[in-house]
Amino acid sequence: MINQPAGFWIRLGAGIANGFFINLPLLVLFAIATDEFNPDDPIVSFLMFLYFLLTPVFWKGYDVGKKTMGIRIVKKDGRNVHIGNMLMRNVVAAIFYLITFGFGALLSAFFVIFRDDKRAIHDFIAGTYVTKSSPGEMPL
């Protein structure tokens, strides 16, 4: 049962918040440490991958951006996500978006805008959705 799905704009806001509160400070720290500003630094990319993979698993579906916007990722049945969901959501979906040359990502945006359940392609792949419900509000 999909409960209080989060739409496009709030999800976009969460992405922007992650960029501001996580990505940018990490890039600045690495620029200070290496004396070079390189947004494509493989260490930064790996740390960001780990952040997006693990934070929702250990923080009941939240990452910093989602927590800021009051939304979180849950399994389709409302339970908390696990590492398998997040691997599917991040790795398999990224591969799909790459092999479709980004068309899949554009299609995902339209899914979130126009579908009643607001699920993107990566949500279908992982069996998840993004909700406005806090952990205590989820029906059992």
Side-chain angles (χ1 to χ4, degrees), residues 19 22 26 43 45 87 98 115 131:
I22 302 298
L26 186 59
I43 295 172
S45 297
L87 281 168
L98 282 172
R115 288 181 55 89
T131 182

Side-chain angles (χ1 to χ4, degrees), residues 68-127:
T68 301
M69 299 304 292
I71 60 176
R72 67 191 190 104
I73 307 164
V74 295
K75 290 185 193 182
K76 192 174 173 191
D77 65 6
R79 292 182 296 149
N80 291 330
V81 292
H82 55 71
I83 193 73
N85 298 115
M86 295 311 297
L87 281 168
M88 295 294 284
R89 188 177 168 90
N90 294 332
V91 177
V92 177
I95 293 168
F96 174 75
Y97 293 150
L98 282 172
I99 64 174
T100 61
F101 301 102
F103 179 74
L106 180 63
L107 187 59
S108 275
F110 282 107
F111 277 25
V112 174
I113 292 168
F114 295 111
R115 288 181 55 89
D116 289 337
D117 62 6
K118 307 298 182 195
R119 293 176 74 204
I121 291 172
H122 52 267
D123 289 311
F124 284 100
I125 291 170

